[in-house]
Amino acid sequence: MNELDAVLREHWWSAVGAIARRSGDLEVAEDAVQEACAAAIAQWPRDGIPPSPRGWLITTAWHKAVDAMRRESVRAEREAAAARELAGLAGLAGPEGLAGMAGLAGMAWLAGSGSAADGHRYLTGDDELALIFACCHPALDPAARVALTLRSVCGLPVSEIAAAFVVAEPTMAQRLVRAKRKIRRAGIPLTVPGPDAMAGRLDAVLRVVYLVYTQGHRAASGAALIRTDLCDQAITLASQLVAILPAEPEAAGLLALLLLTDARAPARTGDDGTLVLLADQDRTRWKQDQIAAGEELVEAALRSGRPGPYQLQAAIAACHSTAPSADATDWLEIAALYRELVRYEPTPVVLANQAVAIAMAEGPRAGLAILDRLAGEGKLDRWPQLHIARAELLRQLGRGADAAAAYKLALAAGLPRAEEDFISSRLASATVD
Amino acid sequence: MKYLFLLYGADGPLPEPGTSEYAAMVKEWGAATGAMADAGVLVDCAPLQPPSTSTTLRFRDGEVLLTDGPAAEIKEHFGGFTLVECGDLDEALKWAATLPVAASGSIEIRPVVQVARG
């Protein structure tokens, strides 16, 4: 990315947020900022980058937005007139509202606002939050929230988002338009949620940022197992959120979790591109500066006394990342953190991890006790992960027949193909034990 | 902005008038819609006759096609509506969640296109 692109990318979020809030229309805002960026690419190399690129972008985009809304307003008024005429013929009422929708009231904002010219105010406020909260609104399809955030907040080109989701570009473009139109037509507010709704809505935003990161891990369409651009994007987003919302420990927890996880990325794949398990990773390849930053962040967040799932996962990641070797891992601490995490996320993966941590800290018998209790409550039935964890511990205790039975339950619960093969081979060897 | 709540209830008969279940149902709904009315967001609301009385209409190739019954055969049926006037979707969602059917069935929230007498 050259300097010009970097500057435009840096101010994209603020610019789209500012225009979207004033126009009430994300589609108009994004198109306007896109046009303003095109104008910048044409002018800036000749005239130099303006002293306030952000102010320049917002002002230019606003003029484009006003033009677009005026065109839309004229068109809508013509359509409304035609509809009224038609309705008159049919003796019905005609559709209106569309005419007033594009409303030019926002124009007054430009005249009276100094903020458009103030390039120093970067990411301090409501425009940026309003935009990301709208893009991550629970009324939108979850996958669309991630894509829309990458587009409207991060300014990623549609082609790159389509590649990340492994869909055709027109399909992704259509999905994005549908989401933007739902925001306008359904009246999803382009405002910062009030204090009563903040916690729940922030969860939805953090979840999207987390999914942007995991999408980077999952989108292994090429040779690389990790798409670092998406991972970097998620870390940037998380740090911007921490900057805007310094009093939200879960935002800091998420940033810490991403930094700590990402610090291990260089050791996650072997020279041949295959996955290397945590215990077998070359720890000298971990990014120590990121580990230090992540550890500091999560410790500060936990001191606020308002723990949450991201802070706890970050604390667990910190235990792994700061251990000098796999054998020297503080499993007691990890088991304690999982015990807390289960209270927020009693999912099969978390429960299985908790049992494994307890087994590492106190021996397989202690871990097995937890899983046996869950099995007794009938909670294991649908969850292959827990059957697998139970089978592994039974094996370690030399109970081959019981382990085989647990592997069979895991297979019966249904597994993805690759895992099914792996478990089938474990089952075969457990039967031999 | 007007939002129409399409109320989907679990299939099955409603309690008989005169029973305590019926009285409880009326009280519960009265409380929820009463609060909407007090807040000034309620425009209109009504239950519907059961799905067996429903007719679905489609106009295809110049012909009116009628089907007996609701548009889709699902476990829940469209059993009533509530029309509210709210500032935005968040406010509408807040009110929808207070209706008893949110717990037993589901509610589809649809923004209404504004129609004015021209």
Side-chain angles (χ1 to χ4, degrees):
Chain A
M1 200 187 294
N2 63 33
E3 192 203 343
L4 186 56
D5 285 341
V7 171
L8 294 175
R9 190 67 71 82
E10 185 189 344
H11 297 294
W12 176 276
W13 183 359
S14 299
V16 174
I19 307 299
R21 263 184 101 201
R22 273 79 185 184
S23 66
D25 190 331
L26 181 53
E27 217 179 338
V28 164
E30 217 184 270
D31 289 348
V33 175
Q34 182 78 61
E35 282 181 55
C37 286
I41 289 165
Q43 287 178 34
W44 292 2
R46 191 186 62 221
D47 306 339
I49 293 178
S52 167
R54 179 178 171 277
W56 189 98
L57 270 180
I58 292 177
T59 310
T60 309
W62 180 250
H63 288 301
K64 310 266 184 204
V66 168
D67 286 346
M69 287 187 290
R70 198 175 279 134
R71 283 195 303 272
E72 170 70 12
S73 162
V74 168
R75 191 183 60 80
E77 182 47 47
R78 254 200 322 265
E79 282 174 7
R84 273 197 296 271
E85 206 171 313
L86 197 65
L89 288 174
L92 295 166
E96 207 202 46
L98 289 172
M101 189 188 64
L104 300 184
M107 280 177 80
W109 164 77
L110 187 69
S113 168
S115 68
D118 171 16
H120 307 296
R121 196 191 68 100
Y122 174 56
L123 287 183
T124 50
D126 291 355
D127 289 347
E128 291 82 5
L129 281 181
L131 178 60
I132 197 167
F133 275 104
C135 290
C136 301
H137 197 281
L140 297 171
D141 170 69
R145 289 178 222 165
V146 178
L148 191 59
T149 301
L150 285 171
R151 178 68 197 133
S152 297
V153 176
C154 306
L156 243 63
V158 178
S159 57
E160 283 181 28
I161 302 168
F165 280 84
V166 203
V167 298
E169 194 175 329
T171 310
M172 179 52 72
Q174 204 181 9
R175 203 178 286 175
L176 289 167
V177 166
R178 204 183 302 134
K180 281 180 269 191
R181 291 199 178 150
K182 175 153 186 191
I183 288 177
R184 175 165 58 78
R185 289 184 182 155
I188 288 177
L190 281 156
T191 53
V192 183
D196 55 327
M198 188 51 148
R201 294 288 305 282
L202 182 62
D203 277 352
V205 170
L206 297 179
R207 179 87 196 139
V208 164
V209 177
Y210 181 77
L211 287 175
V212 168
Y213 188 87
T214 55
Q215 193 74 32
H217 272 265
R218 207 176 328 125
S221 53
L225 198 58
I226 299 169
R227 274 194 54 146
T228 49
D229 55 341
L230 287 182
C231 296
D232 291 347
Q233 198 72 66
I235 290 171
T236 305
L237 261 180
S239 53
Q240 285 167 329
L241 278 174
V242 171
I244 311 174
L245 298 167
E248 297 290 345
E250 275 294 87
L254 174 63
L255 176 58
L257 173 63
L258 298 185
L259 285 172
L260 289 162
T261 309
D262 194 67
R264 301 200 295 257
R268 201 168 162 257
T269 47
D271 294 334
D272 55 352
T274 53
L275 191 73
V276 180
L277 294 175
L278 181 61
D280 305 326
Q281 287 177 7
D282 174 4
R283 293 175 183 233
T284 61
R285 292 174 69 188
W286 290 356
K287 295 182 235 175
Q288 291 303 329
D289 53 335
Q290 270 188 220
I291 291 174
E295 207 189 355
E296 199 175 308
L297 265 167
V298 68
E299 277 173 9
L302 283 168
R303 272 199 297 275
S304 75
R306 289 189 292 146
Y310 290 114
Q311 293 168 74
L312 292 167
Q313 288 179 77
I316 291 166
C319 283
H320 286 298
S321 298
T322 53
S325 69
D327 291 336
T329 305
D330 187 353
W331 286 106
L332 271 175
E333 175 71 12
I334 292 175
L337 289 164
Y338 269 118
R339 219 167 270 143
E340 286 298 302
L341 184 57
V342 163
R343 289 172 40 197
Y344 297 93
E345 290 185 3
T347 63
V349 174
V350 174
L351 286 165
N353 280 328
Q354 184 204 10
V356 169
I358 288 172
M360 293 299 282
E362 301 167 23
R365 220 172 291 276
L368 188 62
I370 293 182
L371 295 177
D372 282 346
R373 197 180 63 236
L374 289 166
E377 292 168 8
K379 286 188 181 174
L380 280 176
D381 298 352
R382 291 175 298 112
W383 295 344
Q385 297 96 327
L386 289 175
H387 290 302
I388 294 167
R390 195 165 165 272
E392 293 292 328
L393 296 180
L394 284 166
R395 245 178 100 106
Q396 288 178 29
L397 291 166
R399 292 165 58 183
D402 292 336
Y407 281 128
K408 281 182 192 150
L409 285 172
L411 289 170
L415 283 171
R417 188 56 208 254
E419 287 181 43
E420 191 178 304
D421 292 345
F422 178 72
I423 296 305
S424 296
S425 70
R426 298 292 283 175
L427 171 59
S429 67
T431 317
V432 174
D433 282 349
Chain B
M1 193 156 185
K2 282 201 186 72
Y3 292 90
L4 184 64
F5 297 166
L6 291 80
L7 314 179
Y8 288 85
D11 229 339
L14 292 176
E16 286 294 323
T19 61
S20 61
E21 289 83 7
Y22 184 83
M25 180 185 76
V26 169
K27 194 169 158 233
E28 221 183 348
W29 280 91
T33 50
M36 290 183 184
D38 290 345
V41 299
L42 186 70
V43 178
D44 199 1
C45 64
L48 300 180
Q49 297 290 347
S52 58
T53 65
S54 167
T55 307
T56 302
L57 180 149
R58 293 178 181 84
F59 191 69
R60 300 279 187 281
D61 304 322
E63 258 189 291
V64 172
L65 304 174
L66 298 182
T67 323
D68 178 32
E73 287 296 333
I74 47 171
K75 286 269 189 287
E76 293 171 340
H77 69 268
F78 179 35
F81 74 89
T82 306
L83 185 63
V84 294
E85 173 96 48
C86 292
D88 58 39
L89 183 64
D90 283 350
E91 195 194 345
L93 291 171
K94 201 182 81 199
W95 284 110
T98 66
L99 290 170
V101 73
S104 57
S106 58
I107 301 175
E108 183 180 337
I109 291 95
R110 289 279 280 273
V112 175
V113 175
Q114 296 301 305
V115 178
R117 320 275 146 190

